[in-house]
Amino acid sequence: MDKIRESLLKKSLASKIERRGKAVSLFCLALIVGVVFLIFYFVASRGLATFFQNHINLWQFLSGTEWNPGTTGANGQPDVGALPMIVGSFLITILSALIATPFAIGTAVFMTEISPRRGAKVLRPVTELLVGIPSVVYGFIGLQVVVPFVRHTFGGSGYGILSGTFVLFVMILPTVTSMSADALNAVPRYYREASLALGATRWQTIYKVVLRAAIPGMLTAIVFGMARAFGEALAVQMVIGNATLLPHNLVSPASTLTSILTMGIGNTVMGSLQNNALWSLAMILLLMSLVFNLAIRYIGRKGKLNNER
Amino acid sequence: MNAKRTDKIATGILYGVAALVVIILLALLGFILIEGVPKISWHFLTAPALAFEAGGGIGIQLFNSFYLLFLALLISLPISLGAGIYLNEYAPQNTVTSLIRTTIEILSSLPSVVVGLFGYLFFVVQFKLGFSILSGAFALTVFNLPILTRSIEEALANISDSQREAGYALGLSRWETVTKIVVPAALPSIITGIVLSAGRIFGEAAALIYTAGQSAPALDFSDWNPFNISSPLSPLRPAETLAVHIWKINSEGIMPDAKAVSAGSSAVLIIAVLLFNFLARWLGKRLYKHLTAE
Amino acid sequence: MAANNSMTTDQRNILKFDPQQHEIALATEDLHVYYGKSEAISEGDLQFERYKISALIGPSGSGKSTYLRSLNRMNDRIATVKGKIMYRGLDINSNDIDVYEMRRHIGMVFQRPNPFAKSIYENIAFALRQRGVNDKKELDEIVERSLRQAAMWDQVKDDLNKSALALSGGQQQRLCIARAIAIKPDILLLDEPASALDPISTSQIEDTLLELKQNYTIIIVTHNMQQAARISDYTAFFNLGKVLEYAETGDIFTNPQVDLTNDYISGNFG
Amino acid sequence: MKKSRVIQLLGLIVIGVLVGFGYTNREKTNAGQSITAVGSTALQPLVEAAGEQYSSNHAGVFINVQGGGSGTGLSQIQSGAVAIGNSDIFAEEQSGIQASKLKDHRVAVVGIAPIVNKQVGVSNLTQQQLIDIFTGKVKNWREVGGNNLPITLINRAQGSGTRKTFESYALKGHASADSQEQDSSGLARSIVASTPGAISYVAFSYLDQSVQAVRVDGVRPTETNVRQNRWYIWSYEHLYTGQRPNQLTKQFIDYVLSPAVQQKLVKQLGYISVHEMQVQRSAAGKVTAVK
């Protein structure tokens, strides 16, 4: 009798295990969060040096069109205009998302609404497989197939925004498709039943009810795809041509933040202006992925509110 | 009448779009495999790469890829398991938790180049690990942590609370309940998550170029002592992986058969990723069956 | 008998035991349970006699499950429990008490059978092993004894290594009871253990409980009044977060003192 | 629990013993006997191959060769993190590097030739024409005697050694116009091969049937012409060390400069041996005769 009383008042083995386990798991989580902050710190400390140590004007950096950190431009300051890369990155991201969206949503609708069985058996596994294809392989195909195709069809050298767009389109298509399909699947079945029961055709149901309800989920999918496209490095670098020029058409060589970054980082000396300027590009990438993230969160939250209302 | 016709047209268009996407995707797979598979031979899979002669293989790169994958999983799995458990089982529902979740999502959407450059600055330069397997494994860990954490957290969340209650009612601590009951029950989906993330690690190149390096020195496959630098197990040797190799020969290769090697390597990479996917499905189903019924 | 609310809410009839004649295994004093700001249990003070079956009945939402789950502090994470829960002279609702140790003495079986995704044998042996019982022979013995007590040894003795999830619902629930008693608790709390089962399984579980009563103090929540009448020694009637009546089962079903109790057991509401 | 604890413990012990065994049995001879060379990816195959040969001749020595680019090589050697920094360019040409603190070992010469797409119809250019083309003054091949095709410039990445050499010696220091950039010779060549009107420049080792190498002022891009500096678009490949390299580093560099490497490996990889050069050139570009 008394033994039980006593044991109740003591710390049991389970309590000790619990405390230790909780501490261990919290530590793991803290580690991950720590890594994120470390990344931000390191990239920012290098990236900001361009502005604080080398005294480059931020506006000049963002709006300048001459990228040649080794030489001094007309205004007596080094040429570190990142605009061509920024424009290239955005252009390629937006274009590939624009092309991918109708395809992805069409396929997702087909998968979930028109032919769920075929969707589950064929389309789903195939798209999920393709999500896992390494980006270098996409680059390799871009080089072998897309670039010659663009050259023959649209002229120019084949290297440029258009080729990059095609490669990224294929790259983000599986991701956006499978996430959109998830969003469509999350629309409750009774929405469809109610609409069909009211005499709407299947297409009317899809268009007026299901797609409407799934808009936030699909927006998230698109933004997620854009984030992937924006950060993609090697596949794009292989096909875009890497010219630090403002692209004046879609088939002229251009560059993205990532392509200039991977190309240049080995050729510059740590701590020099050339190197710092590249880190500033990395910082823009980092900030952009932050923006994409916030956008996804915002859309998600708004979607939730709308559905609740 | 009108609505019906629209319905027909729309359905037709959707069929068309879906078919087009399938064609694009299958053509993609087909192209890689048709270009690459004829190049694959036992010699190609095992021989070391040759810098300036034809007939080199990808043996060392292939080994490096698997070794790096193994190390990266070895480091990232326990951490993400712990973090996933904390997030799903302990974390209170408040702003701090949601902030932490956002942080992890940010990490998961970081461009892999940025992760690679961070790895270069932090592990290669700061910690003086050089271009080495270890640096590469750490960079891949950073890359993999958020993906794995999220998939583990989801897997745990899918286990019904009644399982947890059963554990608590037996006087087990929450930690014991989670590690001994919930995690085993979630194992099928956790394994699926691990294998799928393994596929992504396997194909990652941008994060490795400036961490694991772009050279694959000859290895002495009779020496398995990790302290010898020519040993395959040595964690401090530079290690070009298959994905990096594809990138490099496409850009720098001076071997006469660069195109063939690159096509073959791409095919090997795709086949490996495909195998990972099938393995994930198969293992998940197998384990699930094993758990639910004998 | 039309219920007059202002009258009936004041009507209460709570049995108090004489400590000299009845051994009290568990008792609550001034217990209040809150979900956020809303109060789920406002008046719920009961004493439970040792080696008896006490049933908690009442309409759904009356707080009987919440009350039961507070007894071994399963509600700690989701609700605020105030007041005393007296067990062996200790208030187990205090921070000094080791919750995990306490739950080993106050076990629980849930409404839906929840066996672990492990073998039948492991379902029972697992918790023991966590607490240092490693001897194979001892484990075998405990597993057999628990399964026998739960009246399912004969059905599963050849399939001990099969997954517990392959069992039928009734068998799963009895496995959960076997699992709960394998660690030899003092008190067994059951939260509508038969509500998800067919009549045959239900009666088997009831038989099992009557067997177990010799060694365990049992507190059971049920929505099935016949069940309460069949197996329990004492019955408490809950309504709107309050215990309105607590008495010997025979008394409550034949001669309820509170009007609402009468309404409920005669099927007029609930 | 207990049994599994025992197994866990045993496993740990076995691993511990294995690691300890491995540590004590490691090849002690090479514990202090490995050097790391980092840098230029163009030079990497040569140093790698030389390192492998050296190791097989000198048991227990390991030469660890890593890429990363010339800039990385120079900054790593400057910070003292590695024994050798591989570079395609003079340390003096790289900003952020104090060349006086480093010691230069020139181990090979690489000739660089302009290449054009075969449809261009040009196989000879004057240096002035070359400069006009790369600075963007001339935009069509017709203007320099070729077919009616617009000119597509393919440059190498900024900061790359090949580009610096080409701009210094082929373009007489003129910076080339903004254009496509590729950071690798292989890509540059395949782009030129497949793009009508394209012009770029690659090291001699990348010249092949798919592209047209261009003569400059009638001089052919051959090794013989480089040796005599008649073909002046060439550069050294450098192994940089600190002012006082250690014994092993010195021996290895001597080995790279020995006939065993210079006669065979250097040639196989398409470089020109430094010993065969009849001229030498300083960082500032001043050319003097050897001997």
Side-chain angles (χ1 to χ4, degrees):
Chain A
M1 276 287 151
D2 264 341
K3 252 191 198 160
I4 293 180
R5 252 190 85 135
E6 260 169 48
S7 70
L8 285 177
L9 289 169
K10 267 194 296 195
K11 276 269 163 273
S12 67
L13 179 63
S15 293
K16 284 175 201 155
I17 292 177
E18 169 73 4
R19 198 181 295 172
R20 198 160 5 125
K22 194 172 176 181
V24 167
S25 61
L26 181 60
F27 172 75
C28 292
L29 188 63
L31 200 69
I32 298 182
V33 176
V35 165
V36 178
F37 282 102
L38 215 57
I39 291 180
F40 272 78
Y41 169 75
F42 266 84
V43 174
S45 72
R46 296 274 166 178
L48 290 176
T50 315
F51 310 112
F52 292 114
Q53 269 173 33
N54 307 102
H55 305 291
I56 303 291
N57 184 309
L58 176 66
W59 178 242
Q60 187 198 337
F61 179 79
L62 290 178
S63 66
T65 54
E66 292 282 316
W67 178 264
N68 206 345
T71 58
T72 307
N75 57 0
Q77 279 211 326
D79 286 331
V80 280
L83 193 64
M85 282 86 95
I86 296 174
V87 169
S89 276
F90 273 102
L91 213 54
I92 205 166
T93 303
I94 291 167
L95 283 179
S96 56
L98 272 183
I99 306 180
T101 302
F103 282 94
I105 290 178
T107 314
V109 168
F110 183 83
M111 262 157 83
T112 54
E113 312 294 323
I114 308 273
S115 181
R117 202 181 301 147
R118 245 172 292 185
K121 272 227 166 107
V122 187
L123 274 165
R124 203 100 235 216
V126 171
T127 45
E128 273 168 14
L129 279 184
L130 286 157
V131 173
I133 291 187
S135 58
V136 264
V137 174
Y138 281 108
F140 166 73
I141 294 178
L143 216 50
Q144 302 267 307
V145 182
V146 177
V147 170
F149 169 77
V150 169
R151 177 165 55 238
H152 287 135
T153 327
F154 301 98
S157 66
Y159 294 84
I161 298 273
L162 198 61
S163 298
T165 302
F166 281 145
V167 168
L168 282 181
F169 153 63
V170 181
M171 241 178 112
I172 64 174
L173 185 60
T175 316
V176 182
T177 305
S178 84
M179 282 180 72
S180 301
D182 287 341
L184 290 172
N185 271 331
V187 176
R189 196 129 287 274
Y190 60 78
Y191 276 40
R192 301 177 176 90
E193 281 155 8
S195 165
L196 289 173
L198 288 173
T201 61
R202 182 162 65 179
W203 171 245
Q204 283 169 330
T205 305
I206 294 171
Y207 184 71
K208 295 240 165 87
V209 179
V210 182
L211 281 179
R212 296 276 148 96
I215 279 179
M218 289 187 307
L219 274 179
T220 309
I222 295 164
V223 177
F224 193 84
M226 286 171 74
R228 253 200 105 174
F230 200 82
E232 176 48 41
L234 301 185
V236 176
Q237 189 211 334
M238 283 160 119
V239 299
I240 196 167
N242 307 312
T244 52
L245 296 166
L246 272 181
H248 37 85
N249 62 45
L250 293 182
V251 290
S252 74
S255 58
T256 64
L257 294 165
T258 49
S259 73
I260 295 301
L261 197 52
T262 30
M263 265 193 353
I265 206 86
N267 289 324
T268 55
V269 172
M270 198 64 81
S272 64
L273 168 67
Q274 288 94 319
N275 193 263
N276 289 343
L278 289 174
W279 283 104
S280 304
L281 298 185
M283 204 172 65
I284 297 181
L285 274 178
L286 202 61
L287 292 178
M288 275 317 294
S289 84
L290 206 64
V291 169
F292 281 122
N293 236 290
L294 293 178
I296 291 174
R297 291 233 128 194
Y298 177 74
I299 295 168
R301 197 169 303 158
K302 225 174 163 196
K304 224 180 242 165
L305 284 180
N306 280 344
N307 279 352
E308 269 163 19
R309 221 174 275 155
Chain B
M1 195 60 196
N2 212 347
K4 255 193 187 152
R5 186 181 286 163
T6 327
D7 183 58
K8 278 223 168 109
I9 293 172
T11 309
I13 291 175
L14 284 172
Y15 262 92
V17 168
L20 198 64
V21 168
V22 171
I23 289 170
I24 293 177
L25 299 184
L26 286 183
L28 201 71
L29 273 182
F31 177 80
I32 300 165
L33 293 178
I34 290 167
E35 282 275 296
V37 168
K39 269 89 185 182
I40 301 174
S41 64
W42 182 244
H43 171 81
F44 181 70
L45 289 177
T46 53
L50 296 176
F52 47 89
E53 296 161 54
I58 52 168
I60 293 173
Q61 281 80 7
L62 203 56
F63 175 82
N64 286 342
S65 287
F66 279 110
Y67 188 38
L68 211 58
L69 171 67
F70 170 73
L71 282 183
L73 281 182
L74 198 68
I75 306 170
S76 56
L77 187 55
I79 301 177
S80 13
L81 193 60
I85 287 176
Y86 191 90
L87 276 178
N88 193 55
E89 309 287 333
Y90 289 111
Q93 296 267 352
N94 57 22
T95 29
V96 178
T97 308
S98 93
L99 210 68
I100 288 176
R101 260 177 233 277
T102 317
T103 324
I104 292 178
E105 265 167 37
I106 290 173
L107 187 57
S108 79
S109 66
L110 278 191
S112 54
V113 221
V114 174
V115 172
L117 290 178
F118 163 76
Y120 170 67
L121 215 52
F122 195 63
F123 302 117
V124 177
V125 178
Q126 200 85 8
F127 276 100
K128 304 212 185 332
L129 290 175
F131 294 108
S132 65
I133 290 206
L134 218 51
S135 304
F138 284 133
L140 286 182
T141 299
V142 172
F143 177 76
N144 195 31
L145 276 177
I147 308 172
L148 210 50
T149 304
R150 185 147 35 144
S151 81
I152 288 177
E153 193 194 338
E154 261 166 35
L156 294 180
N158 279 335
I159 298 302
S160 134
D161 269 340
S162 74
Q163 291 279 310
R164 293 181 182 86
E165 288 187 332
Y168 303 156
L170 291 172
L172 300 178
S173 63
R174 238 190 288 168
W175 179 253
E176 288 169 301
T177 309
V178 172
T179 51
K180 300 283 163 61
I181 297 168
V182 180
V183 170
L187 210 55
S189 36
I190 293 181
I191 298 257
T192 310
I194 293 174
V195 181
L196 287 178
S197 79
R200 279 196 65 189
I201 299 184
F202 200 77
E204 178 54 37
L208 288 176
I209 290 172
Y210 289 109
T211 51
Q214 308 164 38
S215 55
L219 299 178
D220 179 1
F221 276 96
S222 60
D223 179 0
W224 290 93
N225 187 338
F227 291 95
N228 293 338
I229 198 150
S230 58
S231 151
L233 291 184
S234 165
L236 288 175
R237 64 189 171 83
E240 181 191 45
T241 65
L242 200 54
V244 176
H245 191 58
I246 296 174
W247 176 76
K248 206 179 110 187
I249 44 185
N250 268 306
S251 47
E252 304 262 343
I254 53 170
M255 55 283 250
D257 58 348
K259 262 197 180 154
V261 174
S262 150
S265 308
S266 299
V268 171
L269 205 58
I270 289 284
I271 292 171
V273 172
L274 286 183
L275 284 182
F276 277 131
N277 271 279
F278 286 126
L279 188 72
R281 268 161 223 281
W282 183 77
L283 261 181
K285 261 190 205 147
R286 218 19 232 279
L287 269 170
Y288 184 73
K289 255 193 191 155
H290 185 80
L291 283 178
T292 47
E294 189 67 358
Chain C
M1 198 183 288
N4 182 339
N5 265 345
S6 63
M7 271 281 290
T8 48
T9 40
D10 292 325
Q11 268 191 313
R12 297 185 74 205
N13 172 34
I14 310 291
L15 172 70
K16 294 279 176 200
F17 292 112
D18 176 1
Q20 303 298 316
Q21 289 177 17
H22 301 270
E23 195 186 334
I24 294 169
L26 192 70
T28 57
E29 293 170 15
D30 198 22
L31 194 78
H32 294 262
V33 182
Y34 304 86
Y35 290 117
K37 283 217 169 117
S38 70
E39 192 168 26
I41 302 284
S42 51
E43 280 170 51
D45 289 340
L46 296 173
Q47 297 171 324
F48 300 101
E49 190 178 0
R50 195 170 170 79
Y51 299 145
K52 296 282 189 229
I53 298 181
S54 308
L56 313 181
I57 62 170
S60 42
S62 63
K64 54 192 194 300
S65 270
T66 302
Y67 179 79
L68 186 83
R69 291 167 59 90
S70 302
L71 292 179
N72 68 344
R73 293 176 62 181
M74 295 294 286
N75 274 345
D76 274 12
R77 281 194 91 185
I78 44 176
T80 319
V81 181
K82 286 187 182 154
K84 285 182 178 173
I85 303 170
M86 298 307 291
Y87 171 66
R88 290 179 187 270
L90 291 171
D91 174 16
I92 56 173
N93 191 30
S94 95
N95 286 332
D96 305 333
I97 296 295
D98 190 290
V99 180
Y100 310 114
E101 187 61 30
M102 179 268 288
R103 290 191 188 134
R104 299 186 69 76
H105 303 294
I106 306 178
M108 190 164 206
V109 175
F110 300 85
Q111 182 172 8
R112 306 202 131 266
N114 54 358
F116 301 137
K118 297 174 187 288
S119 70
I120 295 172
Y121 184 93
E122 272 308 304
N123 257 280
I124 297 172
F126 165 70
L128 294 160
R129 239 188 241 127
Q130 282 311 110
R131 286 299 158 266
V133 183
N134 284 306
D135 184 48
K136 174 84 173 115
K137 240 188 189 160
E138 198 183 340
L139 283 175
D140 286 351
E141 264 172 45
I142 298 178
V143 169
E144 182 176 343
R145 192 182 60 223
S146 313
L147 287 172
R148 275 189 195 284
Q149 283 183 328
M152 65 183 304
W153 170 253
D154 291 329
Q155 300 159 38
V156 297
K157 65 182 174 200
D158 298 325
D159 300 328
L160 290 181
N161 289 321
K162 279 199 178 168
S163 167
L165 299 182
L167 294 171
S168 72
Q171 284 179 318
Q172 287 190 359
Q173 191 62 298
R174 265 182 290 151
L175 178 64
C176 291
I177 295 176
R179 181 176 68 188
I181 58 184
I183 55 171
K184 291 217 165 170
D186 234 9
I187 299 171
L188 204 53
L189 310 176
L190 298 109
D191 187 0
E192 303 195 31
S195 70
L197 304 179
D198 60 275
I200 296 174
S201 304
T202 305
S203 83
Q204 283 172 336
I205 297 239
E206 287 175 9
D207 292 344
T208 307
L209 292 179
L210 287 170
E211 281 289 312
L212 289 173
K213 162 178 143 172
Q214 323 206 338
N215 299 309
Y216 301 91
T217 306
I218 293 173
I219 304 172
I220 178 170
V221 166
T222 177
H223 61 205
N224 178 338
M225 277 173 289
Q226 287 71 36
Q227 187 173 57
R230 277 195 301 266
I231 62 171
S232 70
D233 300 293
Y234 300 101
T235 299
F237 173 64
F238 276 72
N239 190 40
L240 298 172
K242 292 177 183 173
V243 191
L244 297 187
E245 185 152 16
Y246 181 45
E248 285 190 24
T249 301
D251 289 349
I252 248 190
F253 280 98
T254 54
N255 185 22
Q257 301 297 306
V258 178
D259 298 344
L260 267 174
T261 316
N262 193 22
D263 286 357
Y264 182 68
I265 58 181
S266 54
N268 281 353
F269 89 104
Chain D
M1 186 78 177
K2 212 175 235 168
K3 209 185 251 169
S4 64
R5 270 277 157 83
V6 170
I7 292 173
Q8 279 173 12
L9 205 68
L10 269 178
L12 273 180
I13 291 173
V14 169
I15 291 172
V17 167
L18 274 178
V19 168
F21 182 78
Y23 186 72
T24 47
N25 280 285
R26 71 194 191 279
E27 288 153 29
K28 290 200 184 82
T29 35
N30 82 10
Q33 294 274 9
S34 82
I35 52 176
T36 304
V38 175
S40 155
T41 43
L43 190 49
Q44 188 185 331
L46 173 65
V47 185
E48 242 170 32
E52 267 168 45
Q53 283 187 11
Y54 187 74
S55 310
S56 59
N57 294 341
H58 300 72
V61 177
F62 188 80
I63 314 290
N64 182 0
V65 186
Q66 304 174 350
S70 298
T72 309
L74 286 170
S75 55
Q76 293 271 72
I77 184 69
Q78 177 163 267
S79 69
V82 295
I84 299 174
N86 305 340
S87 174
D88 303 337
I89 53 174
F90 279 100
E92 285 85 347
E93 295 176 270
Q94 181 66 273
S95 71
I97 294 293
Q98 287 178 287
S100 59
K101 288 195 175 159
L102 301 176
K103 200 167 173 189
D104 182 14
H105 309 266
R106 298 166 202 171
V107 294
V109 167
V110 55
I112 294 162
I115 51 169
V116 295
N117 182 275
K118 287 194 160 171
Q119 295 175 29
V120 162
V122 168
S123 60
N124 184 27
L125 289 168
T126 66
Q127 188 172 19
Q128 193 52 50
Q129 283 173 331
L130 205 56
I131 294 170
D132 289 347
I133 289 171
F134 271 91
T135 50
K137 234 185 237 168
V138 172
K139 299 212 182 288
N140 195 302
W141 286 109
R142 206 169 31 187
E143 299 171 51
V144 291
N147 299 325
N148 180 14
L149 269 176
I151 294 175
T152 307
L153 289 184
I154 317 270
N155 248 316
R156 301 298 303 282
Q158 276 178 21
S160 92
T162 314
R163 176 157 173 182
K164 277 192 178 150
T165 306
F166 191 77
E167 287 183 351
S168 302
Y169 300 109
L171 308 183
K172 288 185 178 163
H174 290 85
S176 53
D178 275 333
S179 71
Q180 277 201 60
E181 284 177 21
Q182 291 302 332
D183 71 334
S184 67
S185 311
L187 268 183
R189 178 184 62 192
S190 65
I191 293 173
V192 170
S194 58
T195 312
I199 180 167
S200 186
Y201 41 88
V202 292
F204 284 4
S205 50
Y206 288 89
L207 294 179
D208 69 3
Q209 293 303 309
S210 66
V211 292
Q212 169 77 51
V214 179
R215 280 172 288 152
V216 176
D217 293 330
V219 179
R220 287 181 169 282
T222 62
E223 298 190 0
T224 320
N225 286 337
V226 169
R227 286 185 202 118
Q228 298 162 352
N229 199 32
R230 290 184 50 204
W231 181 269
Y232 41 79
I233 314 168
W234 55 270
S235 72
Y236 289 110
E237 294 292 339
H238 311 260
L239 299 186
Y240 275 98
T241 63
Q243 280 299 353
R244 280 195 202 81
N246 68 23
Q247 202 57 34
L248 183 60
T249 310
K250 247 188 243 166
Q251 281 168 3
F252 175 65
I253 289 174
D254 285 346
Y255 177 75
V256 175
L257 289 169
S258 73
V261 172
Q262 294 287 329
Q263 297 299 328
K264 274 200 185 145
L265 272 182
V266 166
K267 298 225 161 114
Q268 279 174 339
L269 283 160
Y271 298 115
I272 301 160
S273 166
V274 275
H275 301 321
E276 293 168 359
M277 292 299 289
Q278 292 166 15
V279 294
Q280 61 181 6
R281 194 159 66 190
S282 71
K286 221 174 154 192
V287 177
T288 47
V290 170
K291 275 169 259 176

